[in-house]
């Protein structure tokens, strides 16, 4: 009896398994329930996990429903030659379009859309008159430049966007800064000498869509020396097969006083569940 048991030991030891023995198909099925950063971390374990991480059916589940539209719009080519993993990676980078005045990218964890519209894509009253406005370079903008208001009576900024959003709820924000940010001797400083008028009357923010949705809010501009995100409103997309047209604006047109010292950087459109990221 003892001899029989001992004889089994060597034979038993040759059936030891490791992570390398897990079939790639099983690993890919697990990947379908993980988010992209988790997949990339597991892909570093060994060759089997790395190979399974490239399966098209895994990454197609992570891509938004309109990924073909996105690739054609920002990459300028058909998505067919690209594998789905490469497509996801490419769309997660900041991708500019419309002459470099707009930028779209996917959130790496959720695959949801984030979009930014630069000041140069906005209609700003008096922007061509150097007495009122200037475009100033800065490292603090993703577009490397912002519109700076010196002084004006009638303040109005309007933007429009036509884009194919996946179904979901989206929030619109203006990214603004009271004061002029500068670099002196390698240090950040802020000139607030021209900041005035924003505490006398609130700024009105408005949003409308081609589907009839509307939102508006009012607030005083605050926090000189810091970038702030001012919430304009939210809109909902139900149909991913058509483009959505949205219009957004901010204005303070009480001409009893001037206002100035404001940087207008961009308009951000984020999934509504990301609102806390902009606090």
């Amino acid at each position: 009896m003892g001899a029989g048991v001992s004889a089994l030991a060597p034979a038993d030891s040759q059936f030891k398994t490791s992570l390398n023995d897990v079939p790639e198909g099983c690993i890919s099925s697990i990947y379908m329930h993980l988010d992209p950063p988790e997949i990339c971390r597991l892909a570093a374990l060994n060759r089997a996990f790395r190979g399974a991480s490239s399966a098209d059916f895994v990454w197609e589940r992570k891509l938004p429903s309109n990924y073909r539209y996105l690739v054609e719009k920002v990459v300028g080519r058909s998505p067919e030659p690209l594998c789905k993993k490469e497509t996801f990676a490419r769309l997660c980078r900041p991708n500019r379009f419309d002459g470099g005045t707009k930028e779209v990218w996917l959130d790496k964890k959720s695959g949801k859309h984030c979009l930014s519209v630069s000041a140069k894509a906005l209609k700003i009253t008096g922007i061509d008159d150097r007495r009122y406005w200037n475009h100033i370079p800065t490292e603090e903008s993703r577009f490397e430049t912002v519109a700076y208001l010196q002084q004006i009576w009638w303040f109005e900024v309007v933007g429009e966007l036509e884009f194919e959003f996946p179904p979901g709820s989206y929030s619109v924000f203006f990214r603004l800064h009271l004061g002029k940010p500068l670099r002196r001797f390698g240090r950040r400083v802020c000139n607030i000498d021209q900041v005035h008028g924003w505490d006398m009357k609130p700024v009105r923010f408005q949003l409308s869509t081609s589907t009839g949705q509307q939102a508006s809010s009012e607030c005083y501009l605050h926090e000189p020396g810091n970038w702030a995100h001012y919430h304009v409103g939210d809109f909902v997309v139900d149909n991913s097969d058509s483009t959505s047209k949205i219009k957004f604006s901010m204005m303070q047109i009480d001409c009893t006083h001037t206002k100035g010292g404001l940087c207008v950087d961009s308009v951000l459109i984020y999934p509504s569940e990301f609102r806390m990221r902009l606090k």
Side-chain angles (χ1 to χ4, degrees):
M1 181 73 173
V5 173
S6 61
L8 287 175
D12 228 20
S13 63
Q14 65 181 323
F15 292 108
K16 290 181 179 179
T17 59
S18 69
L19 287 175
N20 288 316
D21 300 313
V22 181
E24 285 190 11
C26 292
I27 301 172
S28 296
S29 297
I30 296 172
Y31 279 161
M32 293 178 68
H33 301 284
L34 303 179
D35 61 43
E38 291 171 331
I39 293 173
C40 293
R41 285 195 292 269
L42 287 177
L45 285 175
N46 58 37
R47 183 178 299 176
F49 277 76
R50 185 165 56 252
S53 71
S54 297
D56 269 357
F57 72 88
V58 171
W59 290 97
E60 190 155 18
R61 292 278 296 269
K62 313 303 177 187
L63 287 165
S65 58
N66 70 333
Y67 79 90
R68 296 176 183 276
Y69 165 85
L70 275 180
V71 172
E72 291 174 356
K73 188 171 188 67
V74 303
V75 182
R77 58 185 290 189
S78 168
E80 302 305 331
L82 301 173
C83 70
K84 299 299 186 291
K85 182 178 180 180
E86 182 183 354
T87 300
F88 186 88
R90 178 65 185 268
L91 293 179
C92 283
R93 305 174 201 159
N95 295 280
R96 293 191 179 180
F97 61 101
D98 283 0
T101 61
K102 301 180 180 72
E103 199 169 78
V104 65
W105 65 98
L106 300 183
D107 176 66
K108 292 180 180 179
K109 187 171 184 178
S110 66
K112 294 190 175 183
H113 287 57
C114 301
L115 198 143
S116 182
V117 180
S118 75
K120 288 190 174 181
L122 305 175
K123 297 177 182 177
I124 302 177
T125 300
I127 189 65
D128 295 324
D129 194 326
R130 295 289 295 275
R131 294 174 299 172
Y132 305 130
W133 290 90
N134 285 304
H135 284 289
I136 61 173
T138 175
E139 298 175 353
E140 299 181 14
S141 168
R142 64 171 58 247
F143 295 101
E144 297 89 36
T145 183
V146 299
Y148 178 70
L149 172 65
Q150 299 176 96
Q151 178 173 291
I152 204 167
W153 294 88
W154 183 288
F155 173 77
E156 185 173 15
V157 180
V158 180
E160 295 182 356
L161 176 69
E162 185 172 352
F163 197 80
E164 185 179 302
F165 290 95
S169 177
Y170 298 87
S171 297
V172 181
F173 300 84
F174 272 91
R175 185 173 187 257
L176 309 174
H177 184 287
L178 286 176
K180 182 188 290 187
L182 304 167
R183 302 290 295 184
R184 286 181 182 165
F185 305 108
R187 298 181 60 186
R188 184 189 191 272
V189 296
C190 180
N191 185 338
I192 61 172
D193 291 345
Q194 292 180 313
V195 176
H196 69 282
W198 305 109
D199 57 347
M200 299 182 69
K201 289 290 180 68
V203 173
R204 183 171 181 81
F205 298 91
Q206 291 181 302
L207 168 70
S208 62
T209 73
S210 54
T211 57
Q213 300 176 67
Q214 295 187 353
S216 64
S217 61
E218 289 187 353
C219 75
Y220 291 91
L221 303 191
H222 50 84
E223 296 186 46
N226 296 299
W227 287 104
H229 296 93
Y230 292 87
H231 183 223
V232 182
D234 300 340
F235 65 95
V236 176
V237 175
D238 296 318
N239 184 3
S240 62
D241 296 328
S242 60
T243 58
S244 300
K245 296 179 182 179
I246 62 173
K247 183 176 181 178
F248 36 85
S249 65
M250 60 179 295
M251 61 184 69
Q252 214 282 40
I253 55 177
D254 184 339
C255 294
T256 61
H257 66 281
T258 61
K259 34 268 174 189
L262 177 70
C263 288
V264 178
D265 173 40
S266 58
V267 172
L268 295 172
I269 303 173
Y270 272 31
S272 294
E273 61 261 41
F274 291 179
R275 280 182 62 176
M276 293 306 296
R277 298 186 184 185
L278 301 179
K279 294 295 185 181

